[in-house]
Amino acid sequence: MLVLLPPSEGKASSGRGAPLKPESLSLPGLAAAREAVLGELVDLCAGDEEKAREVLGLSEGLRGEVAKNAALRTAGTRPAGEIYTGVLYDALGLASLDAAAKRRAARSLLVFSGLWGAVRVTDRIPSYRCSMGVKLPGLGALGAHWRGPMAEVLPEAAGTGLVLDLRSAAYAAAWKPKGEVAGRTATVRVLHAPTRKVVSHFNKATKGRMVRSLLAAGIAPAGPGELVEALRELGYEVEAEAPAKAGQAWALDVLVTEVH
């Protein structure tokens, strides 16, 4: 099972560990694309601060993020699973999983990123600010920058099992499963059961809890159909729609009654 996650906008501070070692990151096929983004981002943020803020879409209150990006090559690092914070990651609670579930998380979770492309939760990275929606002056839109490298690398990373796609739209645009991989991919919406409306905050929390449930139970569904059965056994109310034709992903709706 491969679980595709969005990053969090908010991030923990960089650690006191050794500086970034790009060659140590998972998915080495993304190395050249990563270096291109990293190089331009560091140069941008080490130069004109106002221009960097404009490009990155940062408010006055986030001015400090520019200096943080300028120091990415020398800043300390922490596992990505500790860097990413926010509602989804709080609900996922990686730190409180038992040892076996943590090993499953290391194998199955892949976090998408405007800067790194995608990383495992065990990859050591510094804290940064660079969303997939950014358009760098030299490279252009990051979503477009990542499509080619992702298309080369991600099908192999997906292996032969289920791909559970929990990414937001901006990050989903960087890689869209195709062909046979798409047929074993499941996307998820979280809906308010009484109204059938998509929820926002509870969407992230529910997705985090859902992944935690699967990891803690040691369940690795082989495909979307098995995923639906597993989630229902774990207590989730799920409606599923199989693809109308080959090469399309399954669409799953998880229904919740609480919205907060």
Side-chain angles (χ1 to χ4, degrees):
M1 178 175 67
L2 184 69
V3 182
L4 310 181
L5 297 174
S8 58
E9 190 169 289
K11 298 174 182 67
S13 61
S14 295
R16 296 183 178 180
L20 175 69
K21 296 180 180 178
E23 69 278 4
S24 72
L25 298 179
S26 302
L27 308 178
L30 299 178
R34 285 174 179 145
E35 179 56 36
V37 180
L38 178 63
E40 184 170 354
L41 183 63
V42 169
D43 288 348
L44 171 70
C45 292
D48 186 330
E49 185 179 85
E50 292 306 314
K51 179 180 179 181
R53 277 208 307 128
E54 180 182 353
V55 170
L56 297 174
L58 300 177
S59 66
E60 175 67 30
L62 294 174
R63 183 178 293 272
E65 299 293 289
V66 175
K68 183 166 72 175
N69 281 348
L72 283 172
R73 294 192 187 275
T74 56
T77 58
R78 301 169 69 175
E82 296 178 14
I83 290 288
Y84 296 113
T85 58
V87 174
L88 187 153
Y89 291 90
D90 285 347
L92 175 54
L94 287 171
S96 61
L97 290 170
D98 64 32
K102 286 179 179 176
R103 288 193 294 271
R104 289 189 282 271
R107 292 193 302 267
S108 63
L109 304 187
L110 200 61
V111 184
F112 275 61
S113 162
L115 174 52
W116 314 113
V119 291
R120 302 282 185 185
V121 292
T122 50
D123 286 334
R124 298 190 67 92
I125 58 174
S127 186
Y128 67 96
R129 191 69 172 234
C130 184
S131 73
M132 191 65 80
V134 164
K135 183 181 291 186
L136 292 174
L139 289 176
L142 291 180
H145 170 76
W146 284 112
R147 284 189 198 112
M150 290 286 192
E152 293 290 328
V153 172
L154 266 294
E156 181 178 353
T160 59
L162 169 72
V163 177
L164 176 54
D165 190 353
L166 303 178
R167 298 172 296 166
S168 53
Y171 293 89
W175 180 60
K176 183 178 180 180
K178 296 181 179 179
E180 182 269 335
V181 179
R184 48 187 168 85
T185 296
T187 61
V188 174
R189 295 189 307 174
V190 180
L191 304 181
H192 184 217
T195 64
R196 281 302 198 276
K197 291 183 178 179
V198 176
V199 297
S200 54
H201 172 96
F202 210 68
N203 164 62
K204 296 177 181 178
T206 300
K207 288 178 178 178
R209 290 173 189 147
M210 187 172 66
V211 175
R212 181 183 177 87
S213 296
L214 291 168
L215 293 172
I219 299 173
E226 288 187 20
L227 172 65
V228 173
E229 293 178 8
L231 290 175
R232 288 172 177 165
E233 289 177 4
L234 289 168
Y236 294 89
E237 185 177 354
V238 182
E239 295 178 350
E241 182 179 343
K245 58 182 179 181
Q248 294 181 336
W250 284 55
L252 273 59
D253 288 337
V254 177
L255 306 180
V256 297
T257 55
E258 298 178 73
V259 180
H260 58 72

